[in-house]
Amino acid sequence: MPSENTILFVKNAKKYFGGVMAVDDVSVTVNEGSVTGLIGPNGAGKTTLFNLITGLIPPTSGEFFLFEKKYSPVNIHNVVENGVARTFQNIRLFNKMSVLENVLVGRHVRTNRWSLGILASILRNKKFSKAEAEEREFCLKILKKVGLSNKKFKVSESLPYGDQRRLEIARALATEPLLLALDEPAAGMNPTEKNDLKNLIAQIANDGISILMIEHDVKLITSLCDSVYVMDRGKIISHGAPEKIKNDSAVIDAYLGKNN
Ligand SMILES: Nc1ncnc2c1ncn2[C@@H]1O[C@H](COP(=O)(O)OP(=O)(O)OP(=O)(O)O)[C@@H](O)[C@H]1O
Ligand SMILES: [Mg+2]
């Protein structure tokens, strides 16, 4: 149940795809300043739940609250304006654009730069140039934070996998989110990249951004998360501190196996 420091509250969310109950009556709470994990076997419904929260697909039913205020996750702009940003399980960058340009796109979504007018951007008047320079500065700071400063002019598709994942995080951060939702941020990373990612996520959380992350790497989840939700076949089967989850027989049976 939500309390006054609840940032996200999902109440009885359902998403059915025909006969498939991908998300089946799920309630989730993310508290301000916390790192919350979402784990579970393949096909459990984790990404579908993210897609509901971030407005990518409409729910069959359910309610969504940010800071106790109900929001309508029907379109992505409404979600961004309400302070939610995300990354994708299958990286979605603008492949032919540079690293910096990808982050600037995230910034544009937030600042609604287009509202300054097409004409202003064509004439590049003073007001526009100043604002543009400020946005660029802002994005360069974010690139520094994620460790991609020295690759800012590289075409994004030329980056190694781990860098592309961090670039997605940078683009999400450019929207100045209150809640950052990460869908398998460590997928495909080697141990060094994973360790860098762990430090980056901890730093983002330390900056006051709440995090909700889907991840299969139990070590990463255990070291970063305050609390963890476990999904299986559309339902939450367990919730609590990482240590509790690791010893929950239902979680061991459904997901972890005996060796974790
Ligand atoms: N657009 C869709 N149309 C039909 N079925 C879908 C759609 N998206 C997801 N599903 C189904 O919903 C279920 C949950 O899928 P989802 O991708 O949410 O699982 P997941 O927990 O993220 O799995 P993974 O760990 O493999 O990423 C699966 O049975 C999947 O086939
Ligand atoms: Mg998924």
Side-chain angles (χ1 to χ4, degrees):
M1 276 298 117
S3 65
E4 62 181 30
N5 70 342
T6 298
I7 178 161
L8 173 75
F9 176 43
V10 175
K11 192 178 174 195
N12 305 117
K14 291 185 185 175
K15 181 67 190 183
Y16 299 167
F17 295 109
V20 178
M21 296 176 185
V23 172
D24 191 15
D25 204 17
V26 164
S27 295
V28 164
T29 301
V30 176
N31 287 325
E32 223 178 323
S34 72
V35 181
T36 304
L38 179 59
I39 64 172
N42 295 124
K46 306 177 299 292
T47 297
T48 304
L49 180 60
F50 262 39
N51 289 346
L52 296 177
I53 292 169
T54 57
L56 223 64
I57 53 172
T60 302
S61 62
E63 292 177 302
F64 300 81
F65 300 84
L66 271 174
F67 293 110
E68 299 178 277
K69 198 181 117 210
K70 203 165 165 173
Y71 74 100
S72 169
V74 284
N75 74 61
I76 209 110
H77 285 275
N78 185 241
V79 169
V80 172
E81 275 163 21
N82 278 293
V84 182
R86 72 172 292 178
T87 64
F88 294 89
Q89 183 170 352
N90 307 309
I91 300 172
R92 294 190 190 182
L93 290 166
F94 300 101
N95 284 333
K96 306 288 177 201
M97 284 162 72
S98 74
V99 166
L100 176 58
E101 281 165 345
N102 265 277
V103 186
L104 278 163
V105 170
R107 194 70 196 141
H108 285 313
V109 173
R110 178 65 173 181
T111 56
N112 211 359
R113 168 57 25 76
W114 315 122
S115 69
L116 273 173
I118 302 279
L119 194 63
S121 63
I122 292 167
L123 298 174
R124 299 180 72 82
N125 65 17
K126 246 183 172 167
K127 187 177 163 200
F128 185 84
S129 309
K130 184 164 177 281
E132 196 182 44
E134 281 168 9
E135 301 312 350
R136 204 182 141 88
E137 243 356 86
F138 186 92
C139 293
L140 287 171
K141 268 191 205 146
I142 292 176
L143 282 177
K144 192 166 178 203
K145 185 180 284 261
V146 305
L148 287 174
S149 290
N150 58 347
K151 297 185 176 169
K152 57 180 176 282
F153 297 129
K154 286 224 158 28
V155 175
S156 72
E157 69 180 0
S158 72
L159 296 184
Y161 205 65
D163 284 352
Q164 291 197 19
R165 288 222 173 264
R166 283 185 301 154
L167 177 53
E168 263 211 323
I169 295 177
R171 187 178 59 187
L173 288 176
T175 69
E176 292 184 271
L178 304 167
L179 176 69
L180 178 61
L182 304 169
D183 194 345
E184 299 198 23
M189 285 189 172
N190 65 38
T192 314
E193 288 174 325
K194 270 189 193 177
N195 197 50
D196 288 348
L197 178 78
K198 185 179 97 182
N199 293 334
L200 174 62
I201 295 173
Q203 196 196 339
I204 293 168
N206 206 32
D207 290 343
I209 297 171
S210 308
I211 290 167
L212 175 61
M213 60 186 281
I214 297 172
E215 187 46 66
H216 285 290
D217 187 314
V218 176
K219 252 167 86 183
L220 201 65
I221 285 283
T222 313
S223 62
L224 281 170
C225 295
D226 309 293
S227 79
V228 179
Y229 285 90
V230 187
M231 258 185 113
D232 184 30
R233 284 176 270 181
K235 291 188 180 296
I236 301 293
I237 58 162
S238 189
H239 170 228
E243 288 310 316
K244 179 191 152 191
I245 295 300
K246 277 165 77 174
N247 296 310
D248 184 330
S249 57
V251 179
I252 293 168
D253 289 347
Y255 181 54
L256 293 178
K258 311 278 181 228
N259 300 324
N260 275 285

